[in-house]
């Protein structure tokens, strides 16, 4: 039994030592607090009429991987502040509303807030609950997309 334990321990130690160069290159993490955004809370045929709302985001976390790609996650709450175009103003959904999309349809709230520039996501997904809670995730390639 002790020989088996010794072998298992040796294999585990080897795995930890062999993995250390990979784990030595870490992702970078940046957090922004107290920002706002505008997002769809419905997708009617005559979008954007009656379908947009502002949201106050308590937190946005951007994790940039060693290869330069990134993931952003946001936690927000729908706001009572109206959107700029009154006919676009929506209301909280009666049931959870989920929206997702691909390249060039979502811009990074992180980059809008730190540099005032549009950086487009490769993909995004968010859910808005009837209580007004919003959870959003967006992904970004290492080389920024050119969307025109």
């Amino acid at each position: 039994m002790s020989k088996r334990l010794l072998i298992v321990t040796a294999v585990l130690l080897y795995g930890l030592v062999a993995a250390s160069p990979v784990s030595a290159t870490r992702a970078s993490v940046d957090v922004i607090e107290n920002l706002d955004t505008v997002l769809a809370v419905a997708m009617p045929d005559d979008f954007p009429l009656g379908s947009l709302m502002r949201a106050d985001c308590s937190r946005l976390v951007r994790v940039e991987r060693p290869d330069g790609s990134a993931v952003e996650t946001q936690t927000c709450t729908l706001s009572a502040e109206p959107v700029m175009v009154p006919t676009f103003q929506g209301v909280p959904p009666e049931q959870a509303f989920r929206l997702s999309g691909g390249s060039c349809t979502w811009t990074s709230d992180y980059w809008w807030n730190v540099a005032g520039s549009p950086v487009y996501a490769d993909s995004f997904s968010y859910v808005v609950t009837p209580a007004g809670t919003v959870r959003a995730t967006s992904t970004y390639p290492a080389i920024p997309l050119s969307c025109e």
Side-chain angles (χ1 to χ4, degrees):
M1 181 72 174
S2 63
K3 184 176 180 181
R4 177 177 279 177
L5 181 60
L6 182 61
I7 291 172
V8 169
T9 303
V11 169
L12 287 173
L13 284 174
Y14 175 75
L16 289 172
V17 170
S20 64
V22 173
S23 63
T25 305
R26 298 190 186 268
S28 66
V29 178
D30 198 5
V31 178
I32 298 177
E33 296 178 337
N34 302 320
L35 60 141
D36 62 346
T37 192
V38 175
L39 46 85
V41 294
M43 222 14 115
D45 290 339
D46 58 355
F47 180 84
L49 298 178
S51 40
L52 301 178
M53 287 189 74
R54 291 186 184 275
D56 296 320
C57 302
S58 59
R59 185 173 177 96
L60 182 152
V61 178
R62 178 181 172 82
V63 177
E64 188 169 316
R65 299 177 185 114
D67 70 356
S69 64
V71 175
E72 294 176 10
T73 55
Q74 292 173 245
T75 304
C76 311
T77 304
L78 293 179
S79 168
E81 185 180 342
V83 294
M84 290 178 69
V85 179
T87 57
F88 293 174
Q89 183 64 48
V91 295
E94 291 182 16
Q95 57 185 331
F97 173 75
R98 182 182 187 334
L99 186 63
S100 59
S103 299
C104 299
T105 55
W106 177 274
T107 55
S108 168
D109 284 322
Y110 175 85
W111 286 111
W112 275 119
N113 280 270
V114 300
S117 64
V119 173
Y120 289 92
D122 193 36
S123 67
F124 77 95
S125 176
Y126 67 85
V127 175
V128 181
T129 69
T133 302
V134 181
R135 302 270 189 246
T137 302
S138 50
T139 61
Y140 302 85
I143 298 172
L145 298 173
S146 177
C147 303
E148 309 228 359

